[in-house]
Amino acid sequence: MSGLLECLLQALLPIARITGGYATITDREGVRIRTVDSAGREVQTLKGKIYNLAREAGQSGKMSVGPSQITEGAEAWCLPLGDYVLAASNFERLKCEEELAESLKQALPFIARVAGGEAVLFNEEGRRIASVGVDGRNNTNYIGKVSIAAQQAIQSQRPVIGESISGMGAVAVRIPITRKFGFGFNNEQGVLRQRKLLEEVKKFQYARYNFTDIIGASEAIEKMKSRAAFVANGISSIIISGETGTGKELFAQSIHNASERRSKPFIAINCGALPESLIESCFFGYEEGAFTGAKKKGSPGAFEQANGGTIFLDEISEMDFNLQSKLLRVLQEREVTRIGGGEPLRVDVRVIASTNRDLVEMIHNGTFRNDLYYRLNVVELKIPALRERLEDIPALVKVFINEFNNLLGKYVTGISDRAIYQLCRYQWPGNIRELKNCIEYIMNIVSINENTIELSHLPQYIHSALSQSREEKYFGTLAEAVAVAERESIIGTLKHTGGAKREAAKLLGVSTTTLWRKIVELGIETNISIR
């Protein structure tokens, strides 16, 4: 063996490793003497085979560069050295890249699901060679589309973030993997969900309810309805406070419909349901080009849409602290400036806000601006909890039974005294909303041939709560004697008035609320029917 051949054979392994493929020694005719892979293993199947590119180099005496003879797409070079030709290709590197690309292709459905949008694989031209939607299905319509940003990612070999070409307002990331391909994903579905959320939050663009829709004749609710109706025609801001489920939006809509603004828009915005990234543009609107995905000619915000009417800011306590200062300026100056705009727009809007939290406590904790609180809290309406107006439960139950009769095709005509008594003893932490859900549950389990709600139909959580309350309650001898006397007096008076509670309360010298509370506490059954 000549010294040159021995030297070339020793060089095959490092050359194969560096080039990422096969390294070969041939004679001048291109006949392979030895071929090794990047691990140093000799490829016996190629021994004695003719390598055309090596033969060209051997005959011309010049170095040749061209396609690999083994794998399409791989490249090779051949260098003539005396009686031999040294050749190498990037066959294995190409194979590794192909396997990596295939692996990424299989991962696209998972990437799409996590990112909340389309996931793609693109080539060196920025052309999509695979595309999968958030549902895991292949987007064949998008195959072949070229992205300039994807091209830039391949050329610069750096990730590129920018606007998606498949969804307005969506942001896409393009990441180069090799010089040949890369992958990308966008948040198209996330943007769509945010838009749907925005539409959901803003879907009630008119006031449907009036004070007559607020059910109840208790002193507490009548007093609140009277006060709300009295301030309805004013222009001052109103804060409606109360626990969750007490009907704060019902009051807001009723105030609007009782005011001179009734023919103008009523715009309701749930401050707690909107993400921080959307709420400012929702409030104040934006100009064209203000941000990626902004509509042409821009979009008016809620204050512009409510011009001349009323804007209802539900869950005002959940508003971002920084946004509170911008809202304060709108209330003070009576003008708004769109995002990306320069000229302020005058607006005539009455603001009604609601909260189920203690704003004064939030001010002390530094999470709500005191100047905004005093600007909003010109008039405060505190909606009573359902446990503070127990005498309204029968009327509410009657309304809900009728509603679900129509929805569920049932024929319930009443509720037993024992059942209504238990409903009146329960504390209702979820207020009217919880009561309505309770009746809906009952109406679902009542059979088609039952026309009366019985004690057995009540949800188990109510039985459990009342059982625990009864176990904790204890009366001494004096209390028992007083209770017996009160019970007899109330029963006698109710018989005298024919069950009319207001008249009975006057005769007993107590308020209707006190009388009803005593009826509940003493277990006095009354005839309550929706017939």
Side-chain angles (χ1 to χ4, degrees):
M1 182 182 295
S2 69
L4 176 60
L5 179 58
E6 185 176 355
C7 181
L8 292 175
L9 290 174
Q10 292 177 358
L12 287 182
L13 176 57
I15 291 173
R17 285 180 177 173
I18 292 172
T19 57
Y22 287 176
T24 301
I25 296 293
T26 74
D27 59 20
R28 284 180 176 273
E29 299 302 320
V31 178
R32 294 179 186 260
I33 299 172
R34 180 177 294 177
T35 302
V36 300
D37 61 20
S38 59
R41 296 184 294 263
E42 183 175 359
V43 184
Q44 293 288 345
T45 55
L46 293 178
K47 191 171 184 178
K49 299 290 181 67
I50 295 177
Y51 191 0
N52 294 329
L53 190 64
R55 183 170 60 182
E56 292 176 11
Q59 292 177 352
S60 66
K62 297 179 180 180
M63 183 176 182
S64 297
V65 177
S68 167
Q69 189 171 311
I70 300 173
T71 302
E72 183 179 356
E75 297 176 325
W77 55 261
C78 299
L79 178 66
L81 296 169
D83 294 331
Y84 307 100
V85 176
L86 177 63
S89 72
N90 63 349
F91 156 69
E92 288 183 336
R93 181 176 297 172
L94 179 66
K95 183 179 178 182
C96 182
E97 288 185 359
E98 289 176 346
E99 290 175 349
L100 179 57
E102 182 61 29
S103 178
L104 276 173
K105 189 175 181 180
Q106 294 176 4
L108 290 183
F110 306 102
I111 296 172
R113 186 181 304 171
V114 172
E118 181 194 15
V120 303
L121 203 62
F122 55 83
N123 61 17
E124 66 270 22
E125 299 174 350
R127 191 180 305 278
R128 297 183 186 188
I129 55 179
S131 172
V132 176
V134 71
D135 58 358
R137 297 180 181 179
N138 292 322
N139 294 327
T140 55
N141 293 335
Y142 292 161
I143 302 297
K145 284 191 175 182
V146 175
S147 166
I148 302 300
Q151 285 182 351
Q152 294 172 349
I154 291 291
Q155 291 168 3
S156 66
Q157 286 295 288
R158 293 178 179 275
V160 173
I161 184 170
E163 186 175 350
S164 170
I165 66 174
S166 63
M168 187 182 71
V171 176
V173 178
R174 288 88 173 183
I175 303 173
I177 301 301
T178 70
R179 294 283 180 183
K180 294 288 187 181
F181 69 92
F183 81 97
F185 54 87
N186 63 38
N187 64 339
E188 181 181 3
Q189 289 299 314
V191 170
L192 288 175
R193 282 195 297 270
Q194 285 190 337
R195 286 181 184 163
K196 288 180 180 178
L197 176 60
L198 180 58
E199 293 304 316
E200 179 71 16
V201 172
K202 293 175 61 178
K203 68 181 180 181
F204 296 122
Q205 302 295 295
Y206 62 95
R208 299 179 295 172
Y209 299 108
N210 296 285
F211 286 117
T212 54
D213 296 308
I214 300 175
I215 308 302
S218 63
E219 283 187 38
I221 202 65
E222 286 288 1
K223 180 179 179 181
M224 195 51 54
K225 286 199 299 186
S226 176
R227 186 178 182 187
F230 183 77
V231 301
N233 270 324
I235 61 172
S236 300
S237 300
I238 298 173
I239 281 187
I240 303 176
S241 61
E243 298 177 7
T244 299
T246 51
K248 296 185 289 295
E249 184 166 354
L250 210 63
F251 270 86
Q253 293 191 22
S254 299
I255 291 170
H256 173 79
N257 280 332
S259 73
E260 295 179 354
R261 297 172 180 263
R262 66 178 68 89
S263 61
K264 300 297 184 179
F266 176 88
I267 306 296
I269 302 294
N270 190 327
C271 302
L274 282 173
E276 186 179 339
S277 60
L278 279 181
I279 194 167
E280 187 172 356
S281 62
C282 174
F283 271 14
F284 310 124
Y286 56 84
E287 295 289 358
E288 179 178 354
F291 49 82
T292 300
K295 294 180 181 178
K296 290 184 178 180
K297 299 183 180 180
S299 177
F303 278 89
E304 282 185 69
Q305 294 172 338
N307 193 25
T310 304
I311 187 167
F312 175 54
L313 304 179
D314 195 13
E315 296 186 38
I316 188 73
S317 56
E318 306 306 312
M319 181 180 290
D320 178 70
F321 191 83
N322 294 325
L323 189 59
Q324 292 176 23
S325 60
K326 297 181 180 181
L327 175 60
L328 177 64
R329 188 178 185 281
V330 173
L331 298 179
Q332 289 174 334
E333 305 298 331
R334 297 292 173 179
E335 60 185 27
V336 296
T337 302
R338 291 186 181 185
I339 297 174
E343 293 295 325
L345 304 169
R346 297 291 297 176
V347 290
D348 172 24
V349 175
R350 186 183 199 180
V351 177
I352 302 177
S354 76
T355 178
N356 60 3
R357 299 175 64 184
D358 187 340
L359 294 183
V360 174
E361 183 180 347
M362 292 182 66
I363 291 172
H364 292 156
N365 294 336
T367 55
F368 200 85
R369 295 180 63 100
N370 61 346
D371 45 6
L372 176 60
Y373 172 74
Y374 293 119
R375 174 65 66 172
L376 289 171
N377 192 30
V378 178
V379 177
E380 182 177 12
L381 300 175
K382 183 172 176 57
I383 311 302
L386 185 55
R387 61 182 172 275
E388 297 170 356
R389 42 181 291 215
L390 294 174
E391 58 265 49
D392 291 332
I393 289 179
L396 288 165
V397 168
K398 175 181 177 179
V399 170
F400 296 149
I401 289 176
N402 285 331
E403 179 180 339
F404 291 115
N405 270 335
N406 295 329
L407 286 175
L408 303 175
K410 298 296 177 72
Y411 303 95
V412 175
T413 58
I415 181 169
S416 71
D417 291 347
R418 294 180 65 195
I420 199 71
Y421 168 65
Q422 293 295 73
L423 290 180
C424 291
R425 290 185 60 234
Y426 183 64
Q427 290 298 297
W428 300 108
N431 294 290
I432 298 174
R433 188 176 300 152
E434 184 184 4
L435 175 61
K436 185 174 182 178
N437 289 341
C438 173
I439 300 302
E440 182 177 4
Y441 162 80
I442 292 170
M443 294 293 286
N444 272 282
I445 65 171
V446 168
S447 64
I448 197 70
N449 57 352
E450 290 180 301
N451 59 14
T452 302
I453 295 175
E454 301 293 347
L455 189 62
S456 59
H457 292 128
L458 269 55
Q460 182 58 44
Y461 72 87
I462 290 182
H463 290 296
S464 299
L466 295 177
S467 175
Q468 183 179 1
S469 174
R470 185 164 55 250
E471 289 173 3
E472 294 173 351
K473 202 167 186 179
Y474 174 75
F475 295 100
T477 304
L478 181 59
E480 289 178 349
V482 172
V484 169
E486 286 184 337
R487 179 183 175 86
E488 291 177 352
S489 177
I490 291 172
I491 291 174
T493 306
L494 285 172
K495 286 180 179 180
H496 176 73
T497 62
K501 296 178 186 61
R502 287 192 178 185
E503 186 179 345
K506 288 181 181 179
L507 293 173
L508 290 166
V510 296
S511 67
T512 308
T513 302
T514 300
L515 174 60
W516 188 267
R517 187 174 66 253
K518 290 293 183 181
I519 289 172
V520 172
E521 289 176 353
L522 299 172
I524 300 171
E525 293 191 358
T526 58
N527 294 322
I528 300 171
S529 173
I530 69 164
R531 293 184 180 88

